[in-house]
Every structure is written in structure tokens, then in C-alpha cells.
Amino acid sequence: MKNPLKNIRATVEGDWAQYERFLRKELRSDSPYVHSILNYVFANRGKGLRPLLVLLCSALNREERPADQATFIAAMMVEMIHTASLVHDDVVDEAYMRHNHPSVNALWRSRNAVLTGDFILARCFSVGLGSGQVSIVTHITRCIDLLSEGELQQNCHSQTLSLSRQEYMEIIYKKTASLLSACCTCGAMAAGADHDRQRAMKFYGDQLGLAFQIRDDILDYLPGPTGKPHLNDLRERKITLPLLTVLETIPAARRHKLLRLLSDVRSTPSNAALIRDEVIAARGIEMAEAIMDEHLQQACRALDPYPASPFIEALVELTRFVGARKD
Ligand code: FPP
Ligand code: MG
């Protein structure tokens, strides 16, 4: 399948090729067994949005200077943390498909998937700290507790079935936007950008990241080639923005009915489709899309201080990609 980010990646083609070599060299094991799992994980990795953001934000702030080790370390760390979190997430969610292929837990069992995630995370830190890039490593590290905290908060809300808009935004910031934001900030840091530019990059990443997770939450409601089972969030009793906006706008009696359907979804899985139909009829998808679009516009506004360049074009194009992506 063609990578939808291929054209955007062409803007930093040389850096990307160097990054791929760097990653391959650092993520290896002398054990053929471990090596085969790592190979499988990286052969079936995602689109590479996070390392691409690092390379683009670094190039934007470097002005013609070649990328140095700090940029590749940051790109490697965000990709490894993201990959380890997905390997663990599939164990936690008991999910057997990832990126259209069987998950690591499906092929090697949960115990080996947990250890593979641990290995990737450990390698990420040994390479990161060994490089001496302390401020970049410190900044990226802060995301790991946010990721885990966001996931735990989400689980808590799927037990209680109560969620405010503010709590939803906090969860999606922690579980998704924080790492995308760190990609942009660390790309700028690696390029030696000043404080104002680092802040502009952080704001772009925050907004892009929030929109990215909102799009993910919308996609769960739409049948299509996401590589993930349809209505998974509802089956896990997760209230996400399409349902949340509907719950905020309908009368109390209908709200209670919807929450009752959600509360029983584990014993009656067909409730998920009933909730989806209500959400679609009450225009929850459109309301969530409007909120996502606001964040994407804010992301573009963060780029205003920069003069036009192919890297700015690529970052704007990425906002369009995030808003329209199908998987
Ligand atoms: C996917 O979310 C998963 C995450 C955004 C983060 C998961 C984080 C952990 C499991 C904490 C452990 C972290 C590390 C670094 C080991 P999702 O379930 O909403 O999306 P999905 O549908 O793609 O699974
Ligand atoms: Mg999951």
C-alpha cells in the first residue's frame, strides 16, 4: 500500500534516507529470535508521521545546514516510543490486528509482546542517553508518563461513563498530542532554534496532535480501511468526541438512553451499532469535524511567523492530511 505521506516526505528525502539507516543500525539484536520480532515490527510500522515531523521541523529551523545526530536521535526516540506504546496497547486492548497485519501479541503471545515493547523502550533510552543529547531526551521522556497517564484516565472514564469536554481534551492531549508536540519541539531544539521558534513549533504540534486524535475518534465511527475493527471504541465503552458532542446537545431522557446502551455494550455488542446510528443522526460526526478543523486552522496559524518555504508547505499539507486521513 502506498504511504500517503510519501509526497510530504520527499521534502526531506535525503534526511529520511539517512534516518532509516540510523534506525536500522540502532534497532537490532544479536539474538535471531529477538531480531525477527523487531524486523516484523518495523516492516509493518505505520506511516512514520512522528519521525517525519521531527525531520521537517528540524529542517525548517536549520536553514540549509545539514541535519546532525541530534535530529536523528529525536526522530528515533519518538518513533521507538510510539512503536513500544502500540505494541503494549495491543496487549492491553487484546487487539489482534495492527496496521493491517497480525499484532505482535497475536503472533508471539502477550508475554513476548510486553517484553518486545520493553526492549524497544530500553534501546530507545540507551541510544538516546548514550548520545549525550540530554535536553532532547528529557523533553521526550516527559511524554511517556503522559501517554500512560492518558490511557489510565481513559480506562477510568470507560468504567464510570462520565466525561466532560475538558476531561476528553486532557486525555487526548496526553495520549496522542503530547508526543506529536514533542516531535515538533525537539525537531526545533535539535536545529538550535530560539525559544520563540520552539514555542511556535510546540503550538503547531499541540494543535495538529489534538486534531489527529479527533480524526482517529471519528474514523472509529466510519466503516473503512482503517486496519482496525470498526466501532472498537464503543465496544470498549470509550466516549469520544462524536458521541460526546451529541450527549452535550440532546435532552436528558435521550442522553440516559444512550448511556444505558453504552453501559450494556459488553453483554450486548449490537448496542454499539445503535449508538453509532444515533450519533450519526444527531450530526455528531459533523460536530466533531468542526472542532477538529478549528485545531487544524490553529496549527496553520502557528506557522505565520515563518517565511514561505517547502517545509512550511509540507507542514500545511500535513494539516490537510490529518483532517482527511482514512486510516
Ligand atoms: C493507541 O490508542 C495507544 C496510545 C495512544 C498510547 C498507548 C500507551 C500505553 C499503552 C502506555 C505505555 C507506553 C509506552 C511507551 C510503553 P488507541 O487504543 O486509542 O488507538 P488504537 O485504536 O490505534 O489502538
Ligand atoms: Mg488500542
Side-chain angles (χ1 to χ4, degrees):
M1 204 192 292
K2 186 175 173 275
N3 187 330
L5 296 178
K6 200 161 174 254
N7 290 342
I8 301 177
R9 211 160 69 189
T11 323
V12 284
E13 206 168 12
D15 290 348
W16 184 268
Q18 233 180 310
Y19 166 63
E20 293 261 274
R21 286 194 293 276
F22 180 84
L23 182 66
R24 205 160 283 281
K25 181 166 81 60
E26 299 301 352
L27 198 72
R28 48 182 304 288
S29 163
D30 292 334
S31 151
Y33 177 70
V34 178
H35 198 69
S36 68
I37 305 178
L38 295 176
N39 259 345
Y40 179 82
V41 172
F42 279 84
N44 298 311
R45 65 210 249 242
K47 298 175 277 290
L49 171 64
R50 289 156 187 81
L52 177 60
L53 272 174
V54 174
L55 298 188
L56 282 172
C57 293
S58 166
L60 173 67
N61 289 286
R62 266 194 335 260
E63 287 146 5
E64 311 274 309
R65 281 174 291 127
D68 65 8
Q69 191 218 28
T71 299
F72 298 124
I73 289 286
M76 177 212 74
M77 289 193 72
V78 295
E79 180 157 14
M80 284 197 189
I81 289 169
H82 175 61
T83 304
S85 78
L86 294 184
V87 171
H88 280 184
D89 186 60
D90 288 336
V91 174
V92 173
D93 290 350
E94 296 177 40
Y96 298 108
M97 291 297 280
R98 170 69 64 185
H99 302 136
N100 285 312
H101 292 275
S103 56
V104 178
N105 44 313
L107 293 179
W108 283 278
R109 305 175 60 189
S110 289
R111 64 174 71 170
N112 292 313
V114 170
L115 293 167
T116 300
D118 291 346
F119 178 92
I120 295 171
L121 213 50
R123 179 59 58 83
C124 164
F125 279 97
S126 62
V127 177
L129 287 170
S131 74
Q133 299 292 341
V134 178
S135 49
I136 287 178
V137 175
T138 307
H139 192 89
I140 295 176
T141 305
R142 175 77 186 106
C143 295
I144 303 179
D145 50 293
L146 288 179
L147 280 181
S148 314
E149 198 172 39
E151 285 292 311
L152 284 163
Q153 284 175 257
Q154 179 170 270
N155 285 348
C156 169
H157 286 284
S158 77
Q159 298 288 323
T160 60
L161 292 189
S162 77
L163 185 72
S164 68
R165 179 78 74 90
Q166 199 187 345
E167 286 163 338
Y168 170 79
M169 295 308 291
E170 183 182 322
I171 288 171
I172 69 168
Y173 186 81
K174 287 178 177 172
K175 74 174 214 174
T176 304
S178 63
L179 187 57
L180 288 170
S181 179
C183 296
C184 302
T185 313
C186 289
M189 285 166 76
D194 64 21
H195 185 66
D196 284 350
R197 283 187 160 213
Q198 284 184 28
R199 272 182 52 153
M201 291 289 91
K202 178 185 181 325
F203 190 75
Y204 170 87
D206 286 351
Q207 300 301 318
L208 187 83
L210 292 170
F212 186 90
Q213 186 57 47
I214 293 173
R215 181 72 190 151
D216 211 67
D217 292 343
I218 291 170
L219 284 172
D220 195 60
Y221 279 82
L222 310 174
T226 60
K228 296 187 271 195
H230 180 48
L231 300 182
N232 219 19
D233 291 341
L234 285 177
R235 276 195 292 269
E236 288 170 9
R237 299 183 17 143
K238 282 185 202 161
I239 299 175
T240 62
L241 196 56
L243 174 57
L244 188 57
T245 54
V246 170
L247 291 172
E248 284 168 356
T249 45
I250 57 178
R254 274 178 69 201
R255 186 162 59 242
H256 291 141
K257 187 191 134 207
L258 271 181
L259 287 174
R260 222 175 8 256
L261 286 172
L262 189 59
S263 145
D264 295 339
V265 76
R266 292 218 168 97
S267 55
T268 318
S270 56
N271 282 1
L274 296 177
I275 300 168
R276 176 207 50 206
D277 293 347
E278 285 255 359
V279 166
I280 289 173
R283 307 191 66 76
I285 305 289
E286 286 85 350
M287 287 190 278
E289 273 171 348
I291 296 163
M292 173 189 75
D293 287 340
E294 274 171 35
H295 289 291
L296 292 174
Q297 280 163 23
Q298 298 252 34
C300 290
R301 233 167 280 145
L303 304 174
D304 283 349
Y306 287 87
S309 75
F311 308 120
I312 288 290
E313 258 173 61
L315 291 173
V316 172
E317 183 58 28
L318 264 182
T319 65
R320 284 195 279 269
F321 161 76
V322 164
R325 72 194 178 91
K326 300 267 184 279
D327 64 358

